[in-house]
Coordinates of all heavy atoms in Angstrom, one line a residue:
R1 N -11.0 70.5 6.9 CA -11.0 69.1 6.9 C -10.6 68.5 8.2 O -11.1 67.5 8.6 CB -9.8 68.7 5.9 CG -10.2 68.8 4.6 CD -9.1 68.3 3.8 NE -9.5 67.8 2.4 CZ -8.8 67.1 1.7 NH1 -7.6 66.7 2.0 NH2 -9.3 66.6 0.6
E2 N -9.9 69.2 9.1 CA -9.5 68.7 10.4 C -10.7 68.7 11.4 O -10.7 67.9 12.3 CB -8.4 69.6 11.0 CG -7.1 69.4 10.3 CD -6.1 70.3 10.8 OE1 -6.2 70.6 12.0 OE2 -5.1 70.7 10.1
A3 N -11.6 69.5 11.2 CA -12.8 69.5 12.1 C -13.5 68.2 12.0 O -14.0 67.7 13.1 CB -13.7 70.7 11.7
P4 N -13.8 67.5 10.9 CA -14.6 66.3 10.9 C -13.7 65.2 11.6 O -14.3 64.3 12.3 CB -14.8 66.0 9.4 CG -14.7 67.3 8.8 CD -13.7 68.1 9.5
V5 N -12.4 65.2 11.5 CA -11.6 64.1 12.1 C -11.7 64.3 13.6 O -11.8 63.3 14.4 CB -10.1 64.2 11.6 CG1 -9.3 63.2 12.3 CG2 -10.1 63.9 10.1
S6 N -11.5 65.6 14.2 CA -11.6 65.7 15.6 C -12.9 65.4 16.2 O -13.0 64.9 17.4 CB -11.1 67.1 16.0 OG -12.1 68.1 15.4
K7 N -14.0 65.7 15.4 CA -15.4 65.3 15.8 C -15.5 63.7 15.9 O -16.2 63.2 16.7 CB -16.3 65.8 14.9 CG -16.6 67.3 15.1 CD -17.8 67.8 14.2 CE -18.0 69.3 14.4 NZ -19.1 69.7 13.5
M8 N -14.8 63.1 15.0 CA -14.8 61.6 15.0 C -14.0 61.0 16.2 O -14.3 60.0 16.7 CB -14.4 61.0 13.7 CG -15.4 61.3 12.6 SD -14.9 60.9 10.9 CE -14.2 59.3 11.2
L9 N -12.9 61.7 16.5 CA -12.0 61.2 17.5 C -12.6 61.4 19.0 O -12.3 60.7 19.9 CB -10.6 62.0 17.4 CG -9.7 61.4 16.3 CD1 -8.4 62.2 16.3 CD2 -9.3 60.0 16.4
A10 N -13.3 62.4 19.2 CA -13.9 62.7 20.4 C -14.6 61.6 21.0 O -14.3 61.2 22.2 CB -14.7 64.0 20.4
P11 N -15.6 61.0 20.4 CA -16.3 59.8 21.0 C -15.4 58.7 21.2 O -15.5 57.9 22.2 CB -17.4 59.5 20.0 CG -17.5 60.7 19.1 CD -16.2 61.4 19.1
C12 N -14.4 58.5 20.3 CA -13.5 57.3 20.5 C -12.6 57.5 21.7 O -12.4 56.6 22.5 CB -12.7 57.2 19.1 SG -11.5 55.8 19.2
L13 N -12.1 58.7 21.9 CA -11.2 59.0 23.0 C -12.0 58.9 24.3 O -11.6 58.4 25.3 CB -10.6 60.4 22.9 CG -9.5 60.4 21.9 CD1 -9.0 61.9 21.7 CD2 -8.3 59.6 22.2
L14 N -13.3 59.5 24.3 CA -14.2 59.4 25.4 C -14.4 57.9 25.8 O -14.4 57.6 27.0 CB -15.4 60.2 25.2 CG -16.4 60.2 26.3 CD1 -15.8 61.0 27.5 CD2 -17.7 60.9 25.8
R15 N -14.7 57.1 24.9 CA -14.9 55.7 25.2 C -13.7 55.0 25.7 O -13.8 54.2 26.6 CB -15.3 55.0 23.9 CG -16.2 53.9 24.0 CD -16.7 53.2 22.8 NE -17.5 54.2 22.0 CZ -17.4 54.3 20.6 NH1 -16.6 53.5 19.9 NH2 -18.2 55.2 20.0
K16 N -12.4 55.4 25.2 CA -11.2 54.8 25.8 C -11.0 55.3 27.2 O -10.5 54.5 28.1 CB -10.1 55.2 24.9 CG -10.0 54.4 23.7 CD -8.7 54.7 22.9 CE -8.6 53.9 21.6 NZ -7.5 54.2 20.9
V17 N -11.3 56.6 27.5 CA -11.1 57.1 28.9 C -12.1 56.4 29.8 O -11.7 56.0 30.9 CB -11.3 58.6 28.9 CG1 -11.3 59.1 30.3 CG2 -10.0 59.3 28.1
V18 N -13.3 56.3 29.4 CA -14.3 55.6 30.2 C -13.9 54.2 30.6 O -14.2 53.7 31.6 CB -15.7 55.7 29.5 CG1 -16.7 54.8 30.2 CG2 -16.2 57.2 29.5
L19 N -13.3 53.5 29.6 CA -12.9 52.1 29.8 C -11.6 52.0 30.6 O -11.3 51.1 31.4 CB -12.7 51.3 28.6 CG -14.1 51.1 27.8 CD1 -13.8 50.5 26.4 CD2 -15.0 50.2 28.6
T20 N -10.7 53.0 30.4 CA -9.3 52.9 31.0 C -9.3 53.3 32.4 O -8.6 52.7 33.2 CB -8.4 53.9 30.2 OG1 -8.4 53.5 28.8 CG2 -6.9 53.7 30.6
V21 N -10.0 54.3 32.8 CA -10.0 54.8 34.2 C -10.5 53.7 35.2 O -9.7 53.4 36.2 CB -10.8 56.1 34.3 CG1 -11.0 56.5 35.8 CG2 -10.2 57.2 33.5
P22 N -11.6 53.1 34.9 CA -12.0 52.0 35.8 C -10.9 50.8 35.9 O -10.7 50.2 36.9 CB -13.3 51.5 35.5 CG -13.8 52.6 34.6 CD -12.7 53.4 34.0
L23 N -10.3 50.5 34.7 CA -9.3 49.5 34.6 C -8.1 49.8 35.5 O -7.6 48.9 36.2 CB -8.9 49.3 33.2 CG -7.9 48.2 32.9 CD1 -8.5 46.8 33.3 CD2 -7.5 48.1 31.5
V24 N -7.7 51.1 35.4 CA -6.5 51.5 36.2 C -6.9 51.4 37.7 O -6.0 51.0 38.5 CB -6.2 53.0 35.8 CG1 -5.2 53.6 36.9 CG2 -5.7 53.1 34.5
F25 N -8.1 51.8 38.1 CA -8.4 51.7 39.5 C -8.5 50.2 40.1 O -8.0 49.8 41.1 CB -9.8 52.2 39.8 CG -9.8 53.8 39.9 CD1 -10.6 54.6 39.1 CD2 -9.0 54.3 40.9 CE1 -10.5 55.9 39.2 CE2 -9.0 55.8 41.0 CZ -9.7 56.5 40.2
V26 N -9.0 49.3 39.2 CA -9.0 47.9 39.4 C -7.6 47.3 39.6 O -7.2 46.6 40.6 CB -9.9 47.1 38.5 CG1 -9.7 45.6 38.6 CG2 -11.3 47.4 38.6
V27 N -6.7 47.7 38.7 CA -5.4 47.2 38.8 C -4.7 47.8 40.1 O -3.9 47.0 40.7 CB -4.6 47.6 37.5 CG1 -3.1 47.3 37.7 CG2 -5.1 46.8 36.2
A28 N -4.9 49.0 40.4 CA -4.3 49.6 41.5 C -4.9 48.9 42.8 O -4.0 48.7 43.7 CB -4.7 51.1 41.6
L29 N -6.1 48.7 42.9 CA -6.7 47.9 44.0 C -5.9 46.4 44.2 O -5.8 46.1 45.2 CB -8.2 47.8 43.9 CG -8.9 49.1 44.2 CD1 -10.4 48.9 44.0 CD2 -8.6 49.6 45.6
L30 N -5.8 45.8 43.0 CA -5.1 44.5 43.1 C -3.7 44.5 43.5 O -3.2 43.6 44.1 CB -5.3 43.8 41.7 CG -6.7 43.4 41.3 CD1 -6.8 42.9 39.9 CD2 -7.3 42.4 42.3
L31 N -3.0 45.6 43.1 CA -1.6 45.7 43.5 C -1.3 46.2 44.8 O -0.3 45.8 45.4 CB -0.9 46.7 42.5 CG -0.8 46.2 41.0 CD1 -0.2 47.2 40.2 CD2 0.0 44.9 40.9
V32 N -2.2 46.9 45.4 CA -2.1 47.4 46.8 C -2.2 46.2 47.8 O -3.2 45.5 47.7 CB -3.1 48.5 47.2 CG1 -3.0 48.9 48.6 CG2 -2.8 49.7 46.3
E33 N -1.3 46.2 48.7 CA -1.3 45.0 49.8 C -2.5 45.4 50.8 O -2.4 46.4 51.3 CB 0.0 44.9 50.4 CG 0.1 43.7 51.4 CD 1.4 43.5 52.0 OE1 2.3 44.0 51.3 OE2 1.5 42.9 53.1
P34 N -3.3 44.5 51.0 CA -4.4 44.7 51.9 C -3.8 44.8 53.4 O -2.8 44.1 53.7 CB -5.3 43.6 51.9 CG -4.5 42.5 51.3 CD -3.5 43.1 50.4
V35 N -4.3 45.6 54.2 CA -4.0 45.8 55.6 C -4.5 44.6 56.4 O -5.7 44.3 56.4 CB -4.5 47.1 56.2 CG1 -4.0 47.3 57.6 CG2 -3.9 48.3 55.4
R36 N -3.7 43.9 57.1 CA -4.0 42.8 57.9 C -4.0 43.2 59.3 O -3.2 44.1 59.7 CB -3.1 41.6 57.7 CG -3.3 41.1 56.2 CD -2.3 39.9 56.1 NE -1.1 40.3 56.5 CZ 0.1 40.0 55.9 NH1 0.0 39.2 54.8 NH2 1.3 40.4 56.3
C37 N -4.8 42.6 60.3 CA -4.8 43.0 61.6 C -3.6 42.5 62.4 O -3.3 43.0 63.4 CB -6.1 42.5 62.3 SG -6.3 40.7 62.3
D38 N -2.8 41.6 61.8 CA -1.7 41.0 62.5 C -0.4 41.7 62.1 O 0.6 41.3 62.5 CB -1.6 39.6 62.3 CG -1.3 39.2 60.8 OD1 -1.6 40.0 60.0 OD2 -0.9 38.1 60.6
Q39 N -0.5 42.8 61.3 CA 0.7 43.5 60.8 C 1.4 44.1 62.0 O 2.6 44.2 62.0 CB 0.4 44.5 59.8 CG 0.2 43.9 58.4 CD -0.1 44.9 57.3 OE1 -0.6 46.0 57.7 NE2 0.3 44.7 56.2
E40 N 0.7 44.7 63.0 CA 1.3 45.4 64.0 C 1.3 44.6 65.3 O 1.2 45.1 66.4 CB 0.6 46.7 64.3 CG 0.6 47.6 63.0 CD 0.5 49.1 63.4 OE1 0.3 49.4 64.6 OE2 0.4 49.9 62.6
A41 N 1.6 43.3 65.2 CA 1.7 42.4 66.3 C 2.9 42.8 67.1 O 4.0 43.1 66.6 CB 1.8 40.9 65.8
G42 N 2.8 42.8 68.4 CA 3.9 43.2 69.3 C 3.9 44.5 69.7 O 4.7 45.0 70.6
T43 N 3.0 45.4 69.2 CA 3.0 46.7 69.7 C 2.0 46.8 70.8 O 1.1 46.1 70.9 CB 2.5 47.7 68.5 OG1 1.3 47.3 68.0 CG2 3.5 47.7 67.3
A44 N 2.2 47.8 71.6 CA 1.4 48.0 72.8 C 0.1 48.6 72.4 O 0.0 49.6 71.6 CB 2.0 48.9 73.8
I45 N -1.1 48.1 72.8 CA -2.4 48.6 72.6 C -2.7 49.6 73.7 O -2.7 49.2 74.9 CB -3.4 47.4 72.5 CG1 -3.0 46.5 71.4 CG2 -4.8 48.0 72.3 CD1 -3.9 45.3 71.4
P46 N -3.0 50.9 73.3 CA -3.4 51.7 74.5 C -4.7 51.3 75.3 O -5.5 50.6 74.8 CB -3.6 53.1 73.7 CG -3.8 52.7 72.2 CD -3.2 51.4 72.0
A47 N -4.6 51.7 76.5 CA -5.7 51.3 77.5 C -7.1 51.7 77.0 O -8.1 51.1 77.3 CB -5.4 51.8 78.8
E48 N -7.2 52.9 76.2 CA -8.5 53.4 75.8 C -9.1 52.4 74.8 O -10.3 52.4 74.7 CB -8.3 54.8 75.0 CG -7.7 55.9 76.0 CD -6.3 55.9 76.1 OE1 -5.6 55.2 75.3 OE2 -5.8 56.4 77.2
S49 N -8.3 51.7 74.0 CA -8.9 50.8 73.1 C -9.3 49.4 73.7 O -9.8 48.6 73.1 CB -8.0 50.6 71.9 OG -6.8 49.9 72.3
R50 N -8.9 49.1 75.0 CA -9.3 47.9 75.6 C -9.8 48.1 77.0 O -9.3 47.5 77.9 CB -8.0 47.0 75.6 CG -6.8 47.6 76.2 CD -5.6 46.6 76.0 NE -4.4 47.4 76.3 CZ -3.9 47.5 77.6 NH1 -4.5 47.0 78.6 NH2 -2.8 48.2 77.7
P51 N -10.8 48.9 77.1 CA -11.4 49.1 78.5 C -11.9 47.9 79.2 O -11.8 47.8 80.4 CB -12.5 50.1 78.2 CG -12.9 49.9 76.9 CD -11.7 49.5 76.1
C52 N -12.4 47.0 78.5 CA -13.0 45.8 79.2 C -12.0 45.0 79.9 O -12.2 44.5 81.0 CB -13.7 44.9 78.1 SG -15.2 45.7 77.6
V53 N -10.8 44.8 79.2 CA -9.7 44.1 79.9 C -9.2 44.8 81.1 O -9.1 44.2 82.1 CB -8.6 43.9 78.8 CG1 -7.3 43.3 79.5 CG2 -9.0 43.1 77.7
D54 N -9.1 46.1 81.0 CA -8.7 46.9 82.2 C -9.7 46.8 83.3 O -9.4 46.8 84.5 CB -8.4 48.3 81.7 CG -7.1 48.4 81.0 OD1 -6.3 47.5 81.0 OD2 -6.8 49.5 80.3
C55 N -11.0 46.9 83.0 CA -12.1 46.9 83.9 C -12.0 45.5 84.7 O -12.1 45.5 85.9 CB -13.4 47.1 83.4 SG -13.6 48.9 82.8
H56 N -11.9 44.4 83.9 CA -11.8 43.2 84.6 C -10.6 43.0 85.4 O -10.7 42.4 86.6 CB -11.9 42.1 83.5 CG -13.2 42.0 82.7 ND1 -14.4 41.8 83.5 CD2 -13.5 41.9 81.4 CE1 -15.4 41.8 82.6 NE2 -14.9 41.8 81.4
A57 N -9.5 43.4 85.0 CA -8.3 43.4 85.7 C -8.4 44.2 87.1 O -8.1 43.8 88.1 CB -7.1 43.8 85.0
F58 N -9.1 45.4 86.9 CA -9.2 46.2 88.1 C -10.1 45.5 89.1 O -9.9 45.5 90.3 CB -9.8 47.6 87.7 CG -10.0 48.5 88.9 CD1 -9.0 49.2 89.5 CD2 -11.3 48.7 89.3 CE1 -9.2 49.9 90.6 CE2 -11.6 49.5 90.4 CZ -10.5 50.2 91.0
E59 N -11.3 45.0 88.6 CA -12.2 44.2 89.5 C -11.6 43.1 90.2 O -11.7 42.8 91.4 CB -13.4 43.8 88.7 CG -14.4 44.9 88.3 CD -15.4 44.5 87.3 OE1 -15.5 43.3 87.0 OE2 -16.2 45.3 86.9
F60 N -10.7 42.3 89.5 CA -10.1 41.2 90.0 C -9.1 41.7 91.1 O -9.0 41.1 92.2 CB -9.2 40.5 88.9 CG -8.4 39.3 89.4 CD1 -8.9 38.2 89.7 CD2 -7.0 39.5 89.6 CE1 -8.1 37.1 90.3 CE2 -6.2 38.5 90.2 CZ -6.8 37.3 90.4
M61 N -8.3 42.8 90.8 CA -7.4 43.2 91.9 C -8.1 43.8 93.1 O -7.7 43.6 94.2 CB -6.5 44.3 91.2 CG -5.6 43.8 90.2 SD -4.5 42.5 90.8 CE -3.4 43.4 91.8
Q62 N -9.3 44.4 92.8 CA -10.1 44.9 94.0 C -10.6 43.8 94.9 O -10.5 43.9 96.1 CB -11.3 45.7 93.4 CG -11.9 46.8 94.4 CD -12.9 47.6 93.7 OE1 -13.4 47.2 92.6 NE2 -13.1 48.8 94.3
R63 N -11.1 42.7 94.2 CA -11.5 41.5 95.0 C -10.3 40.9 95.7 O -10.4 40.5 96.9 CB -12.1 40.5 94.0 CG -13.6 40.9 93.6 CD -14.3 39.7 93.0 NE -13.6 39.2 91.9 CZ -13.8 39.5 90.7 NH1 -14.9 40.3 90.4 NH2 -13.1 39.0 89.6
A64 N -9.2 40.8 95.0 CA -8.0 40.2 95.7 C -7.7 41.1 96.9 O -7.3 40.5 98.1 CB -6.9 40.1 94.7
L65 N -7.7 42.4 96.8 CA -7.3 43.3 98.0 C -8.4 43.1 99.1 O -8.0 43.1 100.2 CB -7.3 44.7 97.4 CG -6.9 45.8 98.4 CD1 -5.5 45.5 98.9 CD2 -7.0 47.2 97.8
Q66 N -9.6 43.0 98.7 CA -10.6 42.8 99.8 C -10.4 41.5 100.5 O -10.5 41.4 101.8 CB -12.0 42.9 99.2 CG -12.5 44.2 98.8 CD -13.8 44.2 98.0 OE1 -14.4 43.2 97.7 NE2 -14.3 45.3 97.8
D67 N -10.1 40.4 99.7 CA -9.7 39.1 100.4 C -8.5 39.2 101.3 O -8.5 38.7 102.3 CB -9.5 38.1 99.3 CG -10.8 37.7 98.6 OD1 -11.8 38.0 99.1 OD2 -10.7 37.0 97.5
L68 N -7.5 40.0 100.8 CA -6.3 40.1 101.6 C -6.6 41.0 103.0 O -6.1 40.6 104.0 CB -5.2 40.9 100.9 CG -4.5 40.0 99.9 CD1 -3.5 40.9 99.1 CD2 -3.6 38.9 100.6
K69 N -7.5 41.9 102.8 CA -7.9 42.6 104.0 C -8.6 41.8 105.1 O -8.3 41.8 106.2 CB -8.7 43.9 103.6 CG -8.0 45.0 103.0 CD -8.9 46.2 102.6 CE -8.2 47.3 102.0 NZ -9.1 48.4 101.7
K70 N -9.5 40.9 104.5 CA -10.2 40.0 105.4 C -9.3 39.1 106.1 O -9.4 38.9 107.3 CB -11.4 39.3 104.6 CG -12.5 40.1 104.2 CD -13.4 39.2 103.4 CE -14.6 40.1 102.9 NZ -15.5 39.2 102.0
T71 N -8.4 38.5 105.3 CA -7.4 37.7 105.9 C -6.6 38.3 106.9 O -6.3 37.7 108.0 CB -6.5 37.1 104.7 OG1 -7.3 36.4 103.8 CG2 -5.5 36.0 105.3
A72 N -6.2 39.5 106.6 CA -5.3 40.2 107.6 C -6.1 40.5 108.9 O -5.6 40.4 110.0 CB -4.8 41.6 107.0
Y73 N -7.4 40.9 108.7 CA -8.2 41.2 109.9 C -8.4 39.9 110.7 O -8.3 39.9 111.9 CB -9.6 41.7 109.4 CG -10.5 41.9 110.5 CD1 -10.4 43.0 111.4 CD2 -11.5 41.0 110.8 CE1 -11.2 43.2 112.5 CE2 -12.4 41.2 111.9 CZ -12.3 42.3 112.7 OH -13.1 42.5 113.8
N74 N -8.6 38.7 110.0 CA -8.8 37.5 110.7 C -7.5 37.0 111.4 O -7.6 36.5 112.6 CB -9.2 36.4 109.7 CG -10.6 36.6 109.3 OD1 -11.4 37.2 109.9 ND2 -10.9 36.0 108.1
L75 N -6.4 37.3 110.8 CA -5.1 37.0 111.5 C -4.9 37.9 112.7 O -4.5 37.4 113.7 CB -3.9 37.1 110.4 CG -3.8 36.0 109.5 CD1 -2.7 36.3 108.5 CD2 -3.6 34.7 110.1
D76 N -5.1 39.2 112.5 CA -5.0 40.1 113.7 C -6.0 39.6 114.9 O -5.5 39.6 115.9 CB -5.4 41.5 113.2 CG -4.3 42.2 112.4 OD1 -3.1 41.6 112.5 OD2 -4.5 43.2 111.8
T77 N -7.2 39.3 114.4 CA -8.2 38.9 115.5 C -7.6 37.6 116.2 O -7.7 37.5 117.4 CB -9.6 38.7 114.9 OG1 -10.0 39.9 114.2 CG2 -10.6 38.4 116.0
R78 N -7.2 36.7 115.4 CA -6.8 35.4 115.9 C -5.5 35.6 116.8 O -5.4 35.0 117.9 CB -6.4 34.4 114.8 CG -5.9 33.1 115.2 CD -7.1 32.2 115.8 NE -6.6 31.0 116.2 CZ -6.9 30.3 117.2 NH1 -7.8 30.9 118.1 NH2 -6.4 29.2 117.6
T79 N -4.6 36.5 116.3 CA -3.4 36.8 117.1 C -3.7 37.4 118.5 O -3.3 37.1 119.5 CB -2.5 37.7 116.3 OG1 -2.1 37.0 115.1 CG2 -1.1 38.0 117.1
E80 N -4.6 38.4 118.4 CA -5.1 39.0 119.6 C -5.7 38.1 120.6 O -5.4 38.1 121.8 CB -6.1 40.2 119.2 CG -6.3 41.1 120.4 CD -7.1 42.4 119.8 OE1 -6.8 42.9 118.7 OE2 -8.0 42.7 120.5
T81 N -6.5 37.1 120.1 CA -7.1 36.1 120.9 C -6.1 35.2 121.5 O -6.2 35.0 122.7 CB -8.1 35.3 120.1 OG1 -9.1 36.1 119.5 CG2 -8.9 34.3 121.0
L82 N -5.1 34.8 120.8 CA -4.1 34.0 121.3 C -3.3 34.7 122.4 O -2.9 34.1 123.4 CB -3.2 33.5 120.2 CG -3.8 32.4 119.3 CD1 -2.9 32.1 118.1 CD2 -4.2 31.1 120.1
L83 N -3.0 35.9 122.1 CA -2.2 36.8 123.1 C -3.0 36.9 124.4 O -2.4 36.8 125.5 CB -1.8 38.2 122.6 CG -0.7 38.2 121.6 CD1 -0.5 39.6 120.9 CD2 0.6 37.7 122.2
L84 N -4.3 37.1 124.3 CA -5.1 37.3 125.5 C -5.1 36.0 126.3 O -5.0 35.9 127.5 CB -6.5 37.7 125.1 CG -6.7 39.2 124.8 CD1 -8.1 39.4 124.2 CD2 -6.4 40.0 125.9
Q85 N -5.2 34.8 125.5 CA -5.2 33.5 126.2 C -3.8 33.3 126.9 O -3.8 32.8 128.1 CB -5.4 32.4 125.1 CG -6.8 32.2 124.7 CD -7.0 31.2 123.6 OE1 -6.0 30.6 123.1 NE2 -8.2 31.0 123.2
V86 N -2.8 33.7 126.3 CA -1.4 33.5 126.9 C -1.3 34.4 128.1 O -0.8 33.9 129.2 CB -0.3 33.8 125.9 CG1 1.0 34.0 126.6 CG2 -0.2 32.8 124.8
E87 N -1.8 35.7 128.0 CA -1.7 36.5 129.3 C -2.6 36.0 130.4 O -2.2 36.1 131.5 CB -2.2 37.9 128.9 CG -1.2 38.7 128.1 CD -1.6 40.1 127.6 OE1 -2.7 40.5 128.1 OE2 -1.0 40.7 126.8
K88 N -3.8 35.5 130.0 CA -4.8 35.0 131.0 C -4.0 33.6 131.7 O -4.1 33.6 132.9 CB -6.0 34.5 130.4 CG -7.0 33.9 131.3 CD -8.3 33.7 130.5 CE -9.3 33.0 131.4 NZ -10.5 32.5 130.7
R89 N -3.4 32.8 130.9 CA -2.7 31.7 131.4 C -1.6 32.1 132.3 O -1.4 31.5 133.5 CB -2.2 30.8 130.3 CG -1.7 29.4 130.7 CD -1.4 28.5 129.6 NE -2.5 28.3 128.7 CZ -2.4 28.2 127.4 NH1 -1.2 28.3 126.8 NH2 -3.5 28.0 126.7
N90 N -0.8 33.1 132.0 CA 0.3 33.5 132.7 C -0.2 34.1 134.0 O 0.4 34.0 135.1 CB 1.2 34.6 132.0 CG 2.0 33.9 130.9 OD1 2.3 32.7 131.0 ND2 2.5 34.7 130.0
L91 N -1.3 34.8 133.9 CA -1.9 35.5 135.1 C -2.4 34.4 136.1 O -2.1 34.5 137.3 CB -3.0 36.4 134.7 CG -3.7 37.3 135.8 CD1 -2.6 38.2 136.6 CD2 -4.9 38.0 135.3
C92 N -3.1 33.4 135.5 CA -3.6 32.3 136.4 C -2.4 31.5 137.0 O -2.5 31.2 138.1 CB -4.4 31.4 135.5 SG -6.0 32.1 135.0
D93 N -1.3 31.3 136.2 CA -0.2 30.6 136.8 C 0.5 31.4 138.0 O 0.8 30.8 139.0 CB 0.9 30.3 135.6 CG 0.4 29.3 134.7 OD1 -0.6 28.5 135.0 OD2 1.0 29.2 133.6
C94 N 0.5 32.7 137.7 CA 1.0 33.6 138.7 C 0.2 33.6 140.0 O 0.8 33.5 141.1 CB 1.1 35.0 138.2 SG 2.0 36.2 139.3
V95 N -1.1 33.7 139.9 CA -2.0 33.7 141.0 C -1.9 32.3 141.7 O -1.8 32.2 143.0 CB -3.5 34.0 140.5 CG1 -4.4 33.8 141.7 CG2 -3.5 35.5 140.0
T96 N -1.9 31.2 141.0 CA -1.8 29.9 141.5 C -0.6 29.7 142.3 O -0.5 29.1 143.4 CB -2.0 28.9 140.5 OG1 -3.2 29.1 139.7 CG2 -2.0 27.5 141.1
A97 N 0.6 30.2 141.7 CA 1.8 30.1 142.4 C 1.9 30.9 143.7 O 2.4 30.5 144.7 CB 3.0 30.5 141.4
N98 N 1.3 32.1 143.6 CA 1.2 32.9 144.9 C 0.4 32.3 146.0 O 0.7 32.5 147.2 CB 0.8 34.4 144.5 CG 1.8 35.2 143.9 OD1 3.0 34.9 144.0 ND2 1.4 36.2 143.1
L99 N -0.7 31.7 145.6 CA -1.5 31.0 146.6 C -0.8 29.9 147.2 O -1.1 29.6 148.4 CB -2.8 30.6 145.9 CG -3.8 31.7 145.6 CD1 -5.1 31.1 144.8 CD2 -4.3 32.4 146.8
L100 N 0.0 29.1 146.4 CA 0.6 28.0 147.0 C 1.8 28.4 147.9 O 2.1 27.7 148.8 CB 1.2 27.1 145.8 CG 0.2 26.4 145.0 CD1 0.9 25.7 143.9 CD2 -0.7 25.4 145.8
N101 N 2.3 29.5 147.7 CA 3.5 30.0 148.6 C 2.9 30.5 149.9 O 2.7 30.6 150.8 CB 4.3 31.0 148.0 CG 5.1 30.5 146.8 OD1 5.4 29.4 146.8 ND2 5.4 31.4 145.9

């Protein structure tokens, strides 16, 4: 007699399992908090994940360094020119003073 009852329960249990398992997955997905991109705000982002920012910063610093080198060269050249003018003026003043004596 037990054999006919278990044969009848098998399709019923299978149907319940087939309906229950997806329902459990849906409920689990609804209960799990989704990961948001702003959750880890304030943490340092490694350089490997932001190469464009680093490349732009490097290029900016490289251009700034080149500008500083040009400015320093121009200042050196201008200073040298002014020193030569002063030496020339002193030399001329010295020669003129010697000629007058």
